């Protein structure tokens, strides 16, 4: 091994080039700081290589197959089918293109990129073992950890990378859709990949150990139930309150034993039971960085670790394990690292989007969580069955919910289930951050026909009673409050 020692100094060194890492590096570079970014694997992290982007690219096609087939006999002649192999080739081209531009883009912004594994040797120092066998030493005023996460193993159903796979195996290695597949876990990744495989021809079963799909406090139960109904209608078998106790791989199939005593054979099994932070061999102890009881890097509200010079963003610290949250963290940690602690993380401001048989997006508080937080919440609703745009597309499932405070008209949050929910949610996010509260949604001129106009239809009856009761002063949305 060609061991070579160099030491360079940067204002900030970021470890990891996923959405948390690259956004933090760019933000600090925009603030005029000398920044380095270290990446041991593929540039772009989980999100670009085996997460959000490949998934969204494939799901777009899965959704198109459904949309076009819904209009078969209504102006479209004949049903269409997906070609998974060709879809994979398209997905790989998209990813390679973005990845190739990555170093160019960072270099243009003045960020120095090191390819290699980083290890902390202190709170302001690290080594980088590069892929060509060199060992570099870097000094840093501040360090941001953005090392992300990996699929959590599940003892009842260990993966083998072939018959029993996780989402990374799926995105990087799967070459054909199995005839039958069991998705272990009905969380975001489970329901998204279940729909994808169903649309490309698999017989899909989901085993969810909890009482509902997407069992998260930020997703209202009504959204989970609507998705489950849709799954049942299109032929995805949803089993709740059950999981896998053991499995046996026999050549080309997997025999699965369930906790309810039943057994069944599948061609493939996808394990999607959550993710765990990537902290192995990072040198946390040498830098004085503590880990919390769940195994995540412990941070305060400024995203500062127990070593004051080191911050952590994204999946490696506790919080929503989404690219959206990692991007939110990145702006906060970069600002705090560069200019002193001034911004606080607040995940109620960050939307969550799930793209499955229905698109589901939510932001802020559900009615239940708003009640717990001491508000007097009420929920304004409109169903897409009443939307002319939805009727024209023969796609009328789903709804919009606007959670607000009954007394003050304060925006507390909301959820959208239906077409382009992941785009529409930005309207609710903006309303939650507006000084005008609920009035923000009334004041806008909407395009007609559009999906977003359903926001106005949902809140109209509430606005009318507000105005008639002369309570026409709306408090700012909760996230616009000082
Ligand atoms: C199948 C799937 C679909 C998803 N879809 C979505 C979605 O649609 N929307 C959404 O918001 N979220 C989605 N997510 C979640 C999202 O991908 C993650 O939350 C996000 O990537 C986390 O970003 P991060 O920057 O924290 O870490 P990562 O993206 O995991 O990046 C971490 C990087 O750090 C590098 N690294 C680790 N250790 C070291 C080291 N010691 N030295 C150097 N480099 C190191 C890794 O190689 C990696 O490249 C999805 C996840 C999966 C698995």
């Amino acid at each position: 091994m060609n061991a070579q020692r160099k030491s360079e100094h940067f204002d900030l060194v970021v470890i990891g080039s996923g959405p948390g890492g690259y956004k933090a590096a760019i933000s600090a570079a925009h603030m005029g700081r000398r920044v380095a970014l270290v990446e041991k694997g593929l540039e772009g992290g989980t999100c670009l290589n085996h997460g959000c982007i490949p998934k969204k690219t494939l799901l777009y096609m899965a959704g198109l197959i459904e949309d076009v087939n819904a209009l078969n006999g209504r102006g479209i002649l004949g049903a269409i089918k997906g070609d998974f192999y060709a879809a994979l080739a398209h997905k790989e081209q998209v990813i390679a293109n973005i990845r190739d531009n990555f170093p160019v883009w960072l270099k243009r912004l003045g960020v120095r990129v090191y390819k290699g594994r980083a290890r902390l040797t202190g709170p302001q120092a690290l080594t980088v073992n590069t892929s060509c066998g060199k060992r570099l030493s870097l000094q840093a005023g501040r360090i941001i950890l953005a090392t992300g996460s990996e699929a959590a193993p599940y003892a009842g159903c260990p993966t083998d990378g072939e018959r029993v796979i996780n989402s990374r195996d799926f995105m990087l290695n799967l070459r054909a859709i199995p005839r039958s597949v069991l998705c272990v876990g009905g969380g975001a990744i489970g329901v998204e990949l279940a729909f994808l495989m169903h649309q490309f021809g698999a017989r899909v079963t989901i085993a969810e150990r909890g009482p509902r799909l997407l069992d998260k406090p930020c997703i209202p139960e009504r959204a989970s139930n609507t998705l489950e109904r849709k799954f049942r209608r299109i032929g995805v078998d949803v089993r709740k309150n059950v999981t896998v106790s053991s499995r046996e791989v026999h050549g080309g199939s997997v025999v699965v034993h369930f906790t309810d005593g039943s057994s069944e054979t599948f061609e493939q099994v996808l394990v999607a039971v959550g993710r765990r932070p990537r902290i192995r061999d990072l040198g946390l102890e040498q830098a004085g960085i503590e880990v919390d009881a769940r195994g995540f890097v412990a941070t305060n509200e400024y995203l500062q670790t127990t070593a004051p010079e080191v911050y952590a963003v994204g999946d490696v610290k506790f919080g929503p394990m989404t690219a959206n949250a990692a991007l939110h963290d990145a702006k906060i940690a970069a600002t705090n690292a560069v200019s002193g602690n001034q911004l606080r993380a607040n995940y109620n401001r960050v939307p969550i989007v799930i793209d499955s048989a229905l698109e589901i997006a939510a932001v802020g508080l559900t009615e239940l969580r708003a009640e717990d937080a001491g508000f007097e919440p009420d929920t304004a609703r409109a169903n897409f069955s009443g939307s002319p745009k939805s009727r024209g597309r023969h796609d009328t499932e789903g709804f919009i919910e606007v959670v607000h405070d009954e007394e003050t008209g304060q925006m507390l949050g909301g959820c959208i289930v239906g077409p382009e929910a992941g785009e529409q949610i930005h309207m609710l996010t903006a309303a939650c951050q507006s000084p005008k509260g609920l009035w923000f949604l009334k004041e806008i001129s909407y395009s007609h026909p559009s999906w977003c106009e359903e926001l106005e239809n949902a809140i109209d009856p509430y606005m009318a009673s507000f105005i008639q009761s002369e309570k026409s002063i709306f408090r700012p949305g909760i996230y616009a409050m000082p």
Side-chain angles (χ1 to χ4, degrees):
M1 180 136 107
N2 172 16
Q4 193 177 311
R5 288 199 169 267
K6 273 189 184 177
S7 189
E8 274 214 66
H9 186 276
F10 292 90
D11 297 324
L12 176 72
V13 174
V14 180
I15 307 178
S17 71
Y22 77 72
K23 188 72 173 182
I26 288 168
S27 303
H30 281 150
M31 290 183 253
R33 297 308 195 271
R34 189 165 140 73
V35 182
L37 182 145
V38 189
E39 171 57 58
K40 72 174 172 59
L42 295 170
E43 292 97 338
T46 304
C47 175
L48 175 61
N49 297 291
H50 44 96
C52 331
I53 314 286
K55 178 207 73 183
K56 190 79 187 170
T57 305
L58 293 170
L59 273 169
Y60 176 63
M61 287 176 253
L64 264 186
I65 297 168
E66 183 180 39
D67 291 349
V68 174
N69 284 337
L71 292 169
N72 182 12
R74 292 182 166 83
I76 303 282
L77 287 179
I80 59 152
K81 284 199 308 187
D83 174 350
F84 189 64
Y85 198 74
L88 282 181
H90 168 65
K91 179 256 311 179
E92 268 149 34
Q93 202 176 21
V94 170
I95 307 306
N97 221 299
I98 300 175
R99 204 167 47 223
D100 289 351
N101 278 321
F102 208 83
V104 184
W105 180 45
L106 288 171
K107 194 173 171 196
R108 209 173 43 228
L109 290 165
V111 176
R112 176 86 167 267
V113 178
Y114 290 93
K115 289 280 291 169
R117 177 183 286 274
R119 191 169 205 286
L120 300 171
T121 49
Q124 293 183 297
L126 61 145
T127 55
V128 180
N129 285 319
T130 68
S131 39
C132 48
K134 288 184 184 163
R135 186 154 182 258
L136 311 173
S137 301
L138 305 182
Q139 305 292 318
R142 296 285 179 272
I143 293 174
I144 294 182
L145 304 178
T147 53
S149 65
E150 58 199 8
Y154 176 44
C157 197
T159 56
D160 64 5
E162 275 185 36
R163 288 287 140 203
V164 187
I165 59 173
N166 60 29
S167 63
R168 183 189 166 95
D169 303 323
F170 180 101
M171 291 297 176
L172 295 180
N173 304 328
L174 194 71
R175 284 292 157 265
I177 288 287
R179 278 188 300 275
S180 63
V181 63
L182 171 71
C183 294
V184 186
I189 294 175
V191 301
E192 291 180 329
L193 299 187
F195 177 62
L196 180 57
M197 289 190 276
H198 171 270
Q199 287 304 99
F200 281 98
R203 178 172 63 77
V204 180
T205 303
I206 301 175
E208 164 53 47
R209 103 176 128 187
R212 65 166 168 123
L213 297 176
L214 300 174
D215 199 0
K216 293 174 189 292
C218 58
I219 304 285
E221 203 171 336
R222 174 185 280 257
S224 302
N225 294 343
T226 309
L227 176 64
E228 186 184 330
R229 261 199 315 278
K230 170 88 185 270
F231 267 148
R232 292 195 192 284
R233 191 166 59 68
I234 64 176
V236 172
D237 182 5
V238 178
R239 301 180 194 173
K240 295 181 292 182
N241 301 307
V242 72
T243 187
V244 176
S245 52
S246 65
R247 58 77 168 163
E248 296 144 31
V249 177
H250 295 293
S253 59
V254 191
V255 179
V256 173
H257 305 290
F258 291 99
T259 45
D260 63 4
S262 63
S263 299
E264 206 169 317
T265 302
F266 299 89
E267 191 176 314
Q268 209 149 31
V269 175
L270 171 82
V271 180
V273 295
R275 297 184 62 79
R276 64 179 183 191
R278 216 185 269 124
I279 54 169
R280 254 188 328 273
D281 267 344
L282 203 49
L284 295 181
E285 268 178 35
Q286 280 86 333
I289 297 169
E290 285 170 21
V291 166
D292 68 20
R294 295 160 293 227
F296 291 87
V297 169
T299 55
N300 62 17
E301 59 196 328
Y302 301 106
L303 303 179
Q304 194 174 31
T305 70
T306 46
E309 300 85 356
V310 183
Y311 291 74
V313 300
D315 287 6
V316 75
K317 53 114 219 33
F318 185 67
M321 295 177 90
T322 67
N324 303 358
L327 292 165
H328 166 84
D329 287 351
K331 290 189 260 185
I332 286 164
T335 306
N336 292 344
V338 162
S339 314
N341 289 347
Q342 40 182 290
L343 302 179
R344 293 179 171 87
N346 180 351
Y347 300 111
N348 285 324
R349 301 175 71 127
V350 182
I352 178 161
V353 179
I354 293 129
D355 197 352
S356 179
L358 289 165
E359 207 166 310
I360 298 176
V363 69
L365 305 177
T366 58
E367 192 171 322
L368 220 61
R369 286 177 73 206
E371 244 168 51
D372 289 347
F375 292 98
E376 286 185 32
D378 207 342
T379 302
R381 257 186 214 107
N383 291 323
F384 284 115
S385 54
S387 151
K389 181 161 177 176
S390 292
R391 283 177 172 268
R393 290 175 49 130
H394 198 56
D395 178 10
T396 54
E397 256 165 324
F399 59 86
I400 281 178
E401 277 189 2
V402 181
V403 183
H404 59 281
D405 188 90
E406 218 177 10
E407 265 306 295
T408 61
Q410 194 172 17
M411 276 290 304
L412 305 175
C415 175
I416 301 175
V417 177
E420 301 290 353
E423 294 293 335
Q424 294 192 59
I425 197 67
H426 296 108
M427 285 281 290
L428 283 179
T429 307
C432 285
Q433 292 177 19
S434 161
K436 295 178 175 173
L438 203 51
W439 186 251
F440 175 90
L441 294 173
K442 183 65 197 162
E443 206 180 44
I444 285 172
S445 294
Y446 294 87
S447 152
H448 177 75
S450 67
W451 289 305
C452 282
E453 66 183 337
E454 296 308 320
L455 283 167
E456 188 179 18
N457 291 337
I459 63 163
D460 263 351
Y462 293 86
M463 297 301 286
S465 66
F466 260 109
I467 290 160
Q468 279 159 28
S469 67
E470 291 173 0
K471 287 192 287 188
S472 53
I473 299 165
F474 296 90
R475 288 188 74 193
I478 36 174
Y479 306 119
M481 306 275 292

